[in-house]
Each structure stands twice: as C-alpha cells, then as structure tokens.
Amino acid sequence: MNPTLVMTRTFLRLFSRDRQAIFFSLFFPLIFMTVFGLAGSRADDPMKVGIVDNADNALSHRFVATLSANPLFEVHEGDEAALREQVIAGDLRLALILPAGFEDNGTPSALTLLVDAAQVRELGLIMPVLEQALVDVERELRNTTSLFSLTVEDVKARSQSYLSFVVPGLLAFTLMTLSIGGSGFNIVEYRRKGILKRLFVTPIQPKHFIGGLVLSRTIICMTQLTVLVAVAVVLLRVEVAGSFASLYVVGILGTALFLSIGFCLGSLAKTQAAIMAIGNLVTFPQVFLSGIFYPIDTLPDLIQPVAQLLPLSFVATGLREIIVNGAAIGDILPTLAGLIVWAIVALGLAIRLFVWKEVAS
Amino acid sequence: MFVVEARDLFKSYPRPDRKGETFNAVDGVSLTIETGEIFGILGPNGAGKTTTLEMLEGLTDIGSGEAIVAGLDVKTEPYKVKQRIGVQLQANEYFDQLSLRELLRLFTALYGRAEAPETLLGLVNLLEKANAKPAKLSGGQKQRFSIACALVNEPQVLFLDEPTTGLDPQAKRNIWDLIRALNAKGMTIVLTTHNMEEAESLCGRIAIMDHGKIIAQGTPQELILQHAPEPPAAPLHGNLEDVFLHLTGAALRE
C-alpha cells in the first residue's frame, strides 16, 4: 500500500480511539446545536411593565386594557412607590404613570415614564409601541379611523430563526477546531515524544506524512460536516437552501486552510503548553469576531471590516450563504477568493516554517 | 567488505550558551565497519555518538564529509539507505493508542512489506504482549519491542543507540543474547553504549569518541594493550573502563 494511505489509515484509527477528541469535536457541537434548536423554538418572553393608574377612570382602564392585550407586554398595576422600587431592582423594565387628569378634556395629558437610563436603547423600541397604544385609544374615543393600515405578509423566502443562523457558524467552528487540533496539536505531541523521529527512521517521506495527515483530517472533517448537517436537517428542521455539493466545496477549502494554519502553529510551538497558548490566541478571537454566534454587524463599526477578513469569517459566511440564502458557488466568489488567499498564505508559511530535520530535536 | 564507510564527517550546531557561535558536535569522524561485525561506539555524554549515528542513518543532514551505508551514498539517497537499515533510537515512544501488533504492521507497511507481526514478536519474546499498548511494557520489554520494530525490513545493518541503558542485569543480558543471535545470522550491528562490560563482551571492534572526535579505535584487547595506564614497576593491568577513563578523563559530564 502507498505510504500516504498507510499513514491515512493510521491517523484515522488513532482518531477513532481518541475519545476525548471525538467528544469535543463531535458531541460538543451536536449538543450545542440541539440546545439552540430547542431554545429557539420557544417564544420570546413578554416585557414586564408597570402601570400606575392615578386617574382610575374609564379612559385609563381602556388604555391599560389595550396595553395588556399587546403580547409584547406583561402589565403589572400598582402604586408608584412600589413600582418605582421594582424598576430600580430590575424586576420591571419600566413603569408608566397615568396622571390624575388622564381624561378626554381637550388638553393633552402628561404621562410619566420611569425607566433606568442605562436602557435607553430599549426605550427607543418601546416608545413607539406605547405611543401606538395611546393613538389607538385616542382614535377609539374620537371615533376616527386611521388613514393607513399595515398588513404583514410572510413571503417565507428563508427561515430567519437563530438556529439557521448558528448552524453554519457551528459547522465552521467545528472545521476550525478539528483541523487546527489535528495538525498543530498532533505535530507538537508527535515531535515532543519522538514519534515523528521514529517514523522518519523508515523510508517514509515528508509528503507521505503530510499527505496522510491532510487526507485523514479531510475525511474526519467531512464526516463531521455530514453528521452535523444531517442532524440539523432531520432533527432540527433546518432548511439547507443551497446545494450540498457547494457545502462540501467550502468545507474542503476551509479544512485545507485551517490545516495549514495548524501546521504553522505546530512549527512555531515547541511544547504542548505553547501550542495550547498559541492555538487559543488564534482561535478564540475568531470565535467572537467571525459571526459564529452573533452577526458581524452587531460588532462595533471599527472592528467590522477587520472581522470580515478573518479566516473563520470567510468559512462561516460561505457556509451561511449556502445554507440560509441558497447561494451557489458562483454567488460567493468573493468569499471563496478570501478563503483561497488565506489558504495560500497559510500553506506558504507552513512550508517555510516546518523544518523537517527538526523532527529529531 | 565494508557495510559502513564514513569519511571526515562534520556537524555543527549553534552554541546554546553563546549566540551566533557554532560548535562541532561531530568533528571529523572517519570510520569503517565490516559486514558481519558488532561495532561499538563509546564516549561520554555529548561526545557526538548519537549525532554520528543519525548522520549515518539519514536522520540528520550530513554537515560535511561522506558516508556510504549498505552500498549507497547517504547524502544523495537517504530514503534508499533507510530501506536497507534498521534503527533503534534512544527514546522509544510510539502512538499510545496502537497495540504492538498494529505498530509493527504500520512499520512493516511503511517499508512496503507484509511480514506477520507475530514472527517478529516471537523473535524478541513478546508474543503474549501482541495486543498490549507500548505504555504497558517494562523497560526491558520496551527495548526488545523497539529492536523488533527495527527488524521489520530485515536490515543489512542494525543501529542500536544505547540499547541497555537503564535496564536491570537480567534484561541487559537478555538484550545481549538477542544481539548475539542476530549477529550470528549475519547481521552487522552498530551500537553505542556507556557500559564497558557490554562493549568488551559484545563488540568485535570499538571506537572511543570524545568532543566529536574518535580518539581511539581497535579491538577491546588492542585498546587495553595500547591505552591501559601502566603504573611503574607493576605488571600490565586494568580493564576497558580504565582505558575509557584514561582517554576521556575522570571529570563528570553533563
């Protein structure tokens, strides 16, 4: 048998017996995905608001009823002092005080809103809803009809649930950890223990060793990709809008890129502790910045352009475009180009940094 | 017929204590080893024994000089040389999760061969450990297993780097018997050792190295006759350890 295939078989066998690696690479994302899948199916909690009804008349009752009917709110009535306490404690998001003169007497009534100033951002979302409730009550009283009506029609172009956002991110994340762990961490361990040196006593050449490692990791990563996608589609009802073929194209490119990064790190680090540190330094920021769990556009404006250029961003974006938006390979050429540029840079660096004769050290 | 011929081997490394400077770990070593002999390389730690072996084995680049092993130039055809030699390294670590049988099968396959692992395990008396992992072996068993791994390609020359260091007397003698048995079947053996008794009883010829150079070479008897210190008005006495200490000095090494 070809030495490359001998090494491929050996690495696959080693991986299949490494329970810890299997747990972290396969079961961790699986559990994560399932948890998100279950959590995502629950409706959002309504916002707790307090109302102090100082007017206590027909109009104020109607206003409270209108607000209570809105599923966005969970309305609690009480006296001002008590509700103020609850807002401060954070039990209520806000409290609305209806003044004693809250009635239809021609002059506008001044309503007071008690809110924690730190939540100003939310205020912007709440105010229109409150105003709408007021307008509705007002129209009803004045017997006027609104000029406009807005009807929502779901075109169901794509599922926008958080789960379908996070699945491609998790796939990219898994490819990264499996590949960097498989090349970088393993090489440091094999070198430190002298296993590399023992292998190079035999007529095996570097290309056989690297070839076997790359081939075995690609098989492992693609198996992983298949299992995760299958679970997402069959159990969690995530729709894959694009083709599976394009999914594998991005998957294989991503694997090649992260394997090369792993080889670079494995060459830089001489000890197991060092590779842990360097590995975390490279993977950790990417997990937060590459739009794995939250979209990149929720990041500060200054960071966004940089975040978009990270290797993991290209892989995650590529996979997401295919799964969520049904993109074909031709639609994501800029993303693929970014991926390939990174892969070439990393591979070139890996070749420069990896000193074969240092296997003896 | 020579199976190993080395001429003027040099290898320099950067000095660990002074930046920018280098030192010669191997400083002009020439030696010839005949087919069928057991050749010993002696020397204190850091003398350059292992580096010399690794250059002959194609594991370390030859700094300068020439080495012909099993009829092939190590510099130009290292992979073909590796195909014809067997090597036991000082450190014996293997993939933890593979059994002895699987490891032997792996090494056999890497030489493009297909011998049954059981034959080799039987040769080194480890047949009942075929399904064990290397971590479960005792020191002597580990050494025997690493010799079995070095034999998968039926090598012309077997290189053993300190094969008995750290073993108890029983395990040591067991390894000696194994080496003698292999040699009796015609295999050339090159070994390094710190053990003078081992060198004296096993080796046909010996080279003593210090500071990267060979400082004496010959059969154990020749070395004793030439170099054993002679106290005045006393008959010739001493053993190989006296020769070794006389030549390399009694100062403690690293």
Side-chain angles (χ1 to χ4, degrees):
Chain A
M1 204 195 319
N2 179 300
T4 307
L5 296 179
V6 172
M7 289 318 297
T8 307
R9 190 184 60 186
T10 305
F11 287 130
L12 285 176
R13 183 176 286 162
L14 287 171
F15 181 79
S16 73
R17 292 185 189 172
D18 189 347
R19 285 196 202 131
Q20 208 181 333
I22 292 177
F23 178 79
F24 279 108
S25 62
L26 190 72
F27 291 105
F28 175 68
L30 219 53
I31 289 165
F32 212 77
M33 211 161 76
T34 316
V35 168
F36 271 119
L38 298 175
S41 64
R42 222 182 63 200
D44 283 338
D45 281 337
M47 188 182 293
K48 288 181 180 172
V49 300
I51 288 188
V52 185
D53 188 357
N54 289 333
D56 200 19
N57 55 22
L59 181 62
S60 69
H61 290 162
R62 191 178 293 164
F63 177 77
V64 172
T66 310
L67 216 55
S68 302
N70 191 325
L72 279 176
F73 300 112
E74 182 185 316
V75 177
H76 296 262
E77 280 190 80
D79 67 83
E80 187 177 338
L83 293 184
R84 185 183 287 268
E85 288 280 304
Q86 290 188 46
V87 171
I88 290 167
D91 295 336
L92 293 177
R93 284 293 178 82
L94 54 91
L96 194 61
I97 303 166
L98 308 181
F102 185 75
E103 52 191 303
D104 187 17
N105 56 10
T107 56
S109 312
L111 280 67
T112 313
L113 197 59
L114 294 180
V115 69
D116 186 353
Q119 311 214 353
V120 173
R121 226 179 100 144
E122 282 185 4
L123 205 57
L125 300 171
I126 300 160
M127 287 298 282
V129 183
L130 284 176
E131 274 170 21
Q132 188 56 45
L134 289 169
V135 168
D136 283 349
V137 175
E138 193 177 324
R139 278 185 193 137
E140 230 180 289
L141 289 172
R142 302 228 164 116
N143 251 333
T144 55
T145 50
S146 53
L147 273 173
F148 310 104
S149 80
L150 191 62
T151 317
V152 176
E153 184 190 326
D154 189 356
V155 294
K156 288 196 163 54
R158 57 197 75 110
S159 62
Q160 283 290 10
S161 72
Y162 182 59
L163 184 65
S164 66
F165 174 84
V166 90
V167 162
L170 275 176
L171 291 179
F173 169 76
T174 310
L175 290 184
M176 177 173 78
T177 49
L178 267 176
S179 304
I180 291 185
S183 50
F185 285 64
N186 283 352
I187 277 185
V188 172
E189 196 199 332
Y190 297 160
R191 182 172 47 214
R192 195 184 55 84
K193 280 190 172 171
I195 294 173
L196 265 190
K197 191 173 172 183
R198 184 60 191 83
L199 282 176
F200 284 100
V201 159
T202 74
I204 188 179
Q205 294 178 27
K207 63 180 180 193
H208 300 135
F209 177 81
I210 288 284
L213 200 59
V214 168
L215 208 58
S216 61
R217 278 291 143 172
T218 309
I219 293 171
I220 293 167
C221 285
M222 290 310 106
T223 310
Q224 172 83 322
L225 191 74
T226 310
V227 171
L228 289 182
V229 170
V231 170
V233 170
V234 177
L235 292 180
L236 303 174
R237 307 268 168 225
V238 170
E239 269 181 59
V240 176
S243 77
F244 285 95
S246 5
L247 213 56
Y248 284 107
V249 169
V250 175
I252 287 174
L253 279 175
T255 305
L257 160 60
F258 291 127
L259 280 174
S260 305
I261 293 179
F263 282 123
C264 292
L265 303 184
S267 311
L268 288 173
K270 301 296 172 218
T271 65
Q272 206 69 359
I275 186 73
M276 288 292 269
I278 300 178
N280 283 339
L281 204 69
V282 170
T283 55
F284 241 66
Q286 294 202 74
V287 172
F288 291 112
L289 296 176
S290 296
I292 298 303
F293 298 109
Y294 296 100
I296 292 179
D297 43 23
T298 58
L299 293 171
D301 288 347
L302 269 174
I303 299 176
Q304 282 188 32
V306 182
Q308 269 156 357
L309 294 177
L310 293 172
L312 188 58
S313 298
F314 286 115
V315 180
T317 308
L319 293 174
R320 190 167 289 137
E321 285 297 312
I322 293 165
I323 292 178
V324 179
N325 294 340
I329 288 297
D331 303 328
I332 50 169
L333 289 180
T335 304
L336 286 182
L339 228 167
I340 290 167
V341 168
W342 267 115
I344 290 170
V345 169
L347 189 68
L349 218 61
I351 291 168
R352 261 193 78 97
L353 289 173
F354 204 97
V355 184
W356 280 108
K357 295 294 172 179
E358 261 183 28
V359 297
S361 68
Chain B
M1 245 267 294
F2 295 127
V3 69
V4 175
E5 281 183 86
R7 235 192 341 264
D8 294 326
L9 289 181
F10 282 89
K11 181 74 186 178
S12 64
Y13 287 113
R15 285 184 75 112
D17 49 346
R18 262 177 276 167
K19 275 223 159 112
E21 287 181 45
T22 60
F23 74 101
N24 287 337
V26 175
D27 197 8
V29 165
S30 299
L31 53 80
T32 52
I33 297 168
E34 278 181 61
T35 306
E37 73 173 330
I38 301 182
F39 188 89
I41 302 177
L42 274 73
N45 284 331
K49 305 184 298 289
T50 300
T51 311
T52 303
L53 279 195
E54 286 183 355
M55 282 197 281
L56 296 176
E57 294 157 358
L59 274 180
T60 302
D61 279 334
I62 293 174
S64 73
E66 265 179 71
I68 309 292
V69 173
L72 296 165
D73 189 335
V74 182
K75 258 185 182 168
T76 56
E77 298 183 287
Y79 297 113
K80 282 192 183 160
V81 169
K82 287 176 182 179
Q83 190 79 42
R84 297 183 184 180
I85 63 170
V87 175
Q88 183 219 26
L89 300 168
Q90 247 180 66
N92 292 308
E93 286 286 347
Y94 304 93
F95 296 115
D96 298 331
Q97 301 96 331
L98 298 185
S99 68
L100 302 196
R101 178 184 280 121
E102 288 168 330
L103 283 165
L104 280 172
R105 232 180 239 141
L106 164 65
F107 289 125
T108 311
L110 289 178
Y111 287 96
R113 303 170 70 108
E115 273 90 346
E118 287 75 16
T119 320
L120 288 160
L121 287 172
L123 193 68
V124 296
N125 233 329
L126 283 174
L127 206 48
E128 75 280 13
K129 294 279 180 188
N131 294 319
K133 304 280 155 68
K136 299 273 179 246
L137 300 180
S138 71
Q141 290 172 330
K142 253 187 190 160
Q143 288 294 13
R144 264 152 45 210
F145 177 63
S146 71
I147 292 176
C149 290
L151 294 173
V152 293
N153 58 332
E154 294 183 66
Q156 292 178 31
V157 197
L158 179 62
F159 292 91
L160 306 170
D161 202 355
E162 300 189 17
T164 59
T165 299
L167 298 188
D168 64 35
Q170 285 83 1
K172 193 164 65 186
R173 267 153 219 282
N174 183 282
I175 298 279
W176 291 357
D177 290 341
L178 179 60
I179 292 171
R180 282 199 194 95
L182 291 169
N183 182 247
K185 283 191 268 178
M187 193 178 289
T188 310
I189 288 161
V190 183
L191 61 88
T192 68
T193 182
H194 289 300
N195 185 323
M196 299 307 144
E197 190 194 356
E198 178 169 304
E200 204 167 345
S201 80
L202 276 183
C203 299
R205 284 193 311 132
I206 288 164
I208 299 180
M209 278 188 81
D210 199 13
H211 302 297
K213 291 183 163 66
I214 292 180
I215 49 176
Q217 211 176 153
T219 65
Q221 271 316 307
E222 285 167 4
L223 290 172
I224 290 167
L225 285 169
Q226 286 168 24
H227 297 287
E230 263 180 274
L236 201 64
H237 84 296
N239 58 19
L240 201 57
E241 183 150 337
D242 297 321
V243 174
F244 182 79
L245 289 174
H246 174 67
L247 288 168
T248 64
L252 201 60
R253 306 302 172 92
E254 61 187 84

